[in-house]
Amino acid sequence: MTVTIVGSQLGDEGKGALVDRWGGDADVVVRYQGGDNAGHTVVEGGAEYKLSLVPSGAVRGTVGVLGNGCVVNPRTLFEEIDGLRERGLDPDVRVARRAHVILPYHRVLDGIEEDRKAEDDSGVEVGTTGRGIGPTYEDKAGRRGIRVGDLLDPAVLRERLEYAVPRKRTVAEAACGLDVAGSDHAAAFDVDALYEEFSGFGERLDKDGMTINCSDFLHRRRAAGDRILFEGAQGTSIDVDHGNYPFVTSSNPTAGGAAVGSGVGVTTVGAGEVVGIVKGYLSRVGAGPLPTELDGDDHEEALADEIREKGGEFGTVTGRPRRIGWLDLPMLRHASRVSGFTGIAVNHVDVLAELPDLRVCTDYELDGERIDTVPTTTERWERCDPVYREFETWPSVDWASVADEGYDALPAATRIYLEFVVDEVDAAVYAVGVGPDREATVELVNPFERTGR
Ligand code: IMP
């Protein structure tokens, strides 16, 4: 069977802790989209691991796969693997030969495109992580990308670089005004230097037996009875199709992406469990609307600061302070419909303890009309006024004991809040996160143990 974990908001919902927890019951953990933009923190036995590319399951010794839907920066991949090895772990990571490679020029182009947008004051600056994600997916769709399989064949790699690099250089110079030769980025556009470095990565990938035909590999593992966990990165509201375009990432974090990005059929993914990860409030690292943002007055800003500090809401990849907002149910309804959640996990309820007030946005008002889901255009979404319901706040308790004792040990006000959310998104609650450690979770259902799916 398969379990697919999907971010139901804007990323950073705390997927890592659940992937890590349930990944222990999986034989293979697969990332199906994104690249090293996906910061995930896994806390294990008091040790903290910050990863951006290696699947979280690797901390537990589970096989971690980067599927064909991912974009892979081999520099980051080997840095993370070597870092984990230095700390005594031995991650088993496999990479799809159909996955696309992030090259240094993709990062340069990501940076200059964002800079140009900021200079033009066009309002379309996305606030990307600067990891070259968008430019790599552009090249994939533009049929000039370089895939992991190409790194294994030096003649093919050279041919692909000779085609792609001059075109990217022209874009950098003519469209973005970069003086490549006179900048620090000359090596990023130099075919020989790229060939040298990336054929070396190919050799290491090959020598370590790390590359796979992902669809075939997962088919065989399933046929042998293995359990697969799909680990979505980012979240529904920054999905390139279902998010608030253009303030999105360039891939599909929603559950359909698990099939396309791994080569496992939709019927298999759909016959499994799809768990939406929800944070009890919202955070956003990039630009774009956030109707429930806490930034209206001093009181709201103080609340945002309190949540940010308690929840450690600073980007894992970029270190940027995250914007904070109240939980937004129109966003969750949309996420649940797009991915077909069978269950949800609600995280960070400990962070909401003892706040001076607590609200949930149930609907929006737009042009005098009440709507219950997210409008399709960012311009309309931006104009939405949230309609709130107030909730009683709860005390801070011994969350570790609550995690041991189970759901009924949660404060009554927390249960009222959770039950309201669950009803609204029409999916059962599988887990409640009460702290950053994997153990700090009240588990109601382990999706791998659900029968009949
Ligand atoms: P990109 O994925 O670097 O192209 O960035 C596009 C948008 O997605 C920006 O708003 C980023 O801040 C956001 N983003 C990318 N990865 C993550 C993530 O892992 N968590 C939260 N936001 C992300």
Side-chain angles (χ1 to χ4, degrees), residues 238-258:
I238 52 173
D239 179 291
V240 68
D241 285 277
H242 302 289
N244 75 291
Y245 194 89
F247 302 104
V248 292
T249 192
S250 300
S251 65
N252 291 117
T254 44

Side-chain angles (χ1 to χ4, degrees), residues 10-12 37-39 126-130 133-134 234 238 248-249 285-286 320:
L10 292 140
D12 310 313
N37 50 347
V126 178
T128 71
T129 60
I133 307 296
Q234 291 91 39
I238 52 173
V248 292
T249 192
V285 274
R320 291 179 282 181

Side-chain angles (χ1 to χ4, degrees), residues 132-149:
I133 307 296
T136 308
Y137 280 114
E138 270 179 49
D139 280 354
K140 170 179 176 173
R143 293 160 297 209
R144 69 185 85 79
I146 291 174
R147 305 200 298 178
V148 168

